[in-house]
């Protein structure tokens, strides 16, 4: 782990920019709803957190039909920040929902295999978020889309060493 203090907003902006062309290939609207001028300072392993955000965004792109909508937002709530990725894609059934963070679990095995899914992305994402003293939750309904919420602690005071 390479944990340093950094601005989460810059990381989210970078992930958004990386995913724009991929969403564009499917004629999807990818919207960044967060205030890009808002400084959200957290202690993070930038590469690992980027891995999580890109995994969740790419899942949204993968499981949202052509012409669909995906958004990424970040909201400060007290000493925490919520990162919210929502889509109007295929959604996840109530029966599959409790298991999506399990290693190797795939909601639609045939479709996931065809799309190159190993069933590890969300399990790894959850582990990375927990190492950052955060949490990750999902709400979804089949045919209505999915909303992933990551909650991370903000740094309450500015440090000196290890600032990125």
């Amino acid at each position: 782990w390479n944990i340093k203090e950094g601005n989460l907003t810059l990381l989210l902006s970078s992930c958004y920019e990386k995913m724009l062309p991929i969403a564009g290939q499917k004629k999807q609207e990818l919207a960044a709803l967060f205030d890009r001028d808002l400084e959200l300072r957290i202690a993070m392993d930038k590469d690992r957190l980027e891995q999580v955000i890109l995994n969740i965004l790419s899942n949204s792109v993968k499981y949202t039909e052509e012409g669909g909508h995906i958004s990424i937002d970040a909201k400060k709530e007290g000493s925490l920040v919520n990162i919210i990725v929502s889509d109007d894609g295929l959604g996840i059934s109530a029966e599959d929902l409790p298991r999506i963070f399990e290693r190797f679990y795939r909601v639609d095995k045939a479709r996931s295999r065809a799309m190159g899914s190993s069933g590890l992305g969300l399990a790894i994402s959850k582990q990375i978020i927990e190492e950052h003293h955060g949490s990750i939750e999902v709400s979804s309904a089949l045919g209505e889309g999915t909303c992933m919420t990551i909650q991370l602690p903000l740094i309450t005071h500015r440090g000196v060493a290890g600032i990125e």
Side-chain angles (χ1 to χ4, degrees), residues 11-12 16-17 20 30-31 34 37 52 54 72 79 82 85-86 91 100 102 104 112 116 118 136 160 162:
L11 179 63
L12 294 178
Y16 167 76
E17 296 294 334
L20 264 179
L30 177 59
F34 57 93
D37 296 325
V52 171
L54 289 175
I72 181 168
S79 63
N82 288 328
V85 176
S86 299
I100 66 163
E102 290 179 19
F104 303 113
S112 294
S118 66
I136 182 168
V160 178

Side-chain angles (χ1 to χ4, degrees), residues 32-99:
L33 305 178
F34 57 93
D35 179 354
R36 292 190 186 204
D37 296 325
L38 183 64
E39 194 171 25
L40 298 168
R41 302 210 63 83
I42 66 168
M44 66 177 160
D45 182 319
K46 186 177 167 188
D47 293 336
R48 300 280 180 100
L49 208 50
E50 178 181 57
Q51 178 184 350
V52 171
I53 305 301
L54 289 175
N55 178 60
I56 292 170
L57 284 171
S58 67
N59 281 349
S60 285
V61 168
K62 192 184 301 184
Y63 297 108
T64 298
E65 298 295 328
E66 188 170 300
H69 301 85
I70 302 160
S71 66
I72 181 168
D73 200 358
K75 297 177 181 177
K76 185 177 175 182
E77 292 187 17
S79 63
L80 301 169
V81 61
N82 288 328
I83 304 165
I84 303 139
V85 176
S86 299
D87 64 58
D88 59 4
L90 301 176
I92 303 164
S93 73
E95 123 186 357
D96 287 315
L97 220 48
R99 301 194 59 200

Side-chain angles (χ1 to χ4, degrees), residues 1 47-59 100-103 119-137 148-152:
W1 297 100
D47 293 336
R48 300 280 180 100
L49 208 50
E50 178 181 57
Q51 178 184 350
V52 171
I53 305 301
L54 289 175
N55 178 60
I56 292 170
L57 284 171
S58 67
N59 281 349
I100 66 163
F101 293 108
E102 290 179 19
R103 290 173 6 140
L120 285 172
L122 289 176
I124 292 168
S125 293
K126 182 175 183 179
Q127 182 180 357
I128 291 170
I129 294 303
E130 287 175 350
E131 288 290 333
H132 283 79
H133 308 286
S135 64
I136 182 168
E137 296 177 355
M148 289 274 188
T149 303
I150 298 169
Q151 193 169 70
L152 294 167

